[in-house]
Amino acid sequence: MKLYSTNNKDLRVSFKEAVFNSFPIDKGLYMPVEIPQLSSDFIKNIDHFHFQEIAFAVTQAFLGNEIPEEDLKKIIEEVINFEAPVVPLSNELGVLELFHGPSLAFKDFGARFMSRIMAYLSDKNDKTLDILVATSGDTGGAVAQGFLGVKGTRVTILFPKGKVSEIQKLQLTTNGQNIRALEVDGTFDDCQSMVKEAFNDPELNEYFNLTSANSINISRLIPQTFYYFHAYAQALRQNKKSISFVVPSGNFGNIGAGLLAYKMGLPVQHFVAATNINDTVPRYLQSGVYMPKSSVQTLSNAMDVGNPSNWVRIMELFNNDLQKIKEMVSSASFTDEETLSGIQELYQQYNYIACPHTAVAYLGAKEICNAQEFTIFLSTAHPCKFIDVYSDNLKNEIQIPTQVKELENKTSLAHPLKNEFIELKKFLLNN
Ligand SMILES: *Cc1c(COP(=O)(O)O)cnc(C)c1O
């Protein structure tokens, strides 16, 4: 598998290089030179395969020439060890639950795959791989769980003090082993710029084999295609032949993976990108003018992104033809008030409790849902991660998964840190 940069079509790098660099120096994004196609026989019979088999077939289409079959199978078995069910709400509407992994958010797919791939591709005699990650909440937990106990790796997470939910904090700080958490007295942006500075620091780069777990890494995109194929397989089993997906979107990695799956041969009628009021993409699809703006804080805070970094990938998949994109993708944005009423409506009509991100997707689904097809909206996180959002009656209804109950008995350990790069550097050099 060869990759090019969206800023330079002539650049060619290997998969390994793309994984460890995360992005090219020209600040573009890596894209596969060729989009692998799955055979129409496989697609037709996909309902005969279970999730791991589907994930394996998709990965093999990408990496069959790079990683021997047996090794790839082992990686997939470790990555896909939880379910992603399509729960039908009505004849026309279903919800694809992506929160059954260890950190209770869909980012587990990307993080688990990336961790195994990085460990597999790094040379045996390489220095320990040091992963630095800044998080506003969900990414850190998924990365921590993904790399926990993976040999040859160590993760340092920076999170903003007082700005992550109680459960998120436990997920970041109770891991031990090869995972360290730094509680930064500052904002998420501070954490991010400290990490960026670390990557540019010659001394740190000399001492450590630094890498990032950034969400634009190609090894996070590939595993996110798995569940679109698997959802289609489940729809076929429920006798639904025509499907559309609605994806709650922030950085547009998730929907980007869905569109990649479509380009690989998955039959999908339509995609909807549902956003909160950080509506750069919905505005773009309406006006044809791409105008990013600073992000605004909302209830669906994992989607508070003003300049979605994966959008260029989607443009690239459609040869930068806006008209072609609009035939396949529509987009709508929703306020916090609408999100809250979406949560209530889902509960009252379907007895279903959704996280705020999922509720945004539900609102998007309502706009296109029709009797001719099956509309599947993606549920990206378990509601318990955002417990403060709910009214008391719903709060009491939310089942706390065992993963969370176990966290409560563990010791929480976070190293406090000032929001200055020099403090991070000192910590890294001395620990
Ligand atoms: C990260 C995240 C999203 C946004 O996904 P993108 O790939 O950035 O569009 C949506 N919901 C939850 C719960 C998330 O953690």
Side-chain angles (χ1 to χ4, degrees), residues 96-138:
L96 170 58
E97 293 184 342
L98 300 175
F99 55 72
H100 296 285
S103 85
L104 308 172
F106 87 98
K107 290 189 172 73
D108 282 328
F109 287 94
R112 292 179 76 74
F113 188 78
M114 176 169 56
S115 65
R116 271 46 178 203
I117 287 289
M118 280 185 169
Y120 182 83
L121 292 179
S122 61
D123 294 317
K124 295 261 178 309
N125 41 8
D126 275 353
K127 279 190 268 189
T128 298
L129 193 59
D130 259 295
I131 296 108
L132 292 186
V133 57
T135 186
S136 59
D138 270 353

Side-chain angles (χ1 to χ4, degrees), residues 105-107 138 248-254 302-303 355 357 380-381 386:
F106 87 98
K107 290 189 172 73
D138 270 353
S249 296
N251 243 333
F252 283 68
N254 199 356
M303 312 200 296
C355 91
H357 312 77
T380 45
F386 306 93

Side-chain angles (χ1 to χ4, degrees), residues 38 42 46 50-63 72 75-77 79-80 84 96 98 109-110 112-113 117 219-234 245 254 257-258 260-261 264 266:
L38 294 178
F42 175 74
I46 199 166
H50 58 66
F51 196 9
Q52 283 185 351
E53 291 169 326
I54 293 170
F56 173 72
V58 174
T59 314
Q60 206 180 29
F62 280 108
L63 302 176
L72 212 49
I75 291 172
I76 293 297
E77 275 163 22
V79 172
I80 305 297
L96 170 58
L98 300 175
F109 287 94
R112 292 179 76 74
F113 188 78
I117 287 289
S219 66
R220 281 180 62 167
L221 201 65
I222 293 172
Q224 292 179 176
T225 62
F226 300 165
Y227 44 75
Y228 288 95
F229 289 98
H230 179 52
Y232 179 68
Q234 295 179 71
F245 287 108
N254 199 356
L260 181 58
M264 293 170 77
L266 182 68

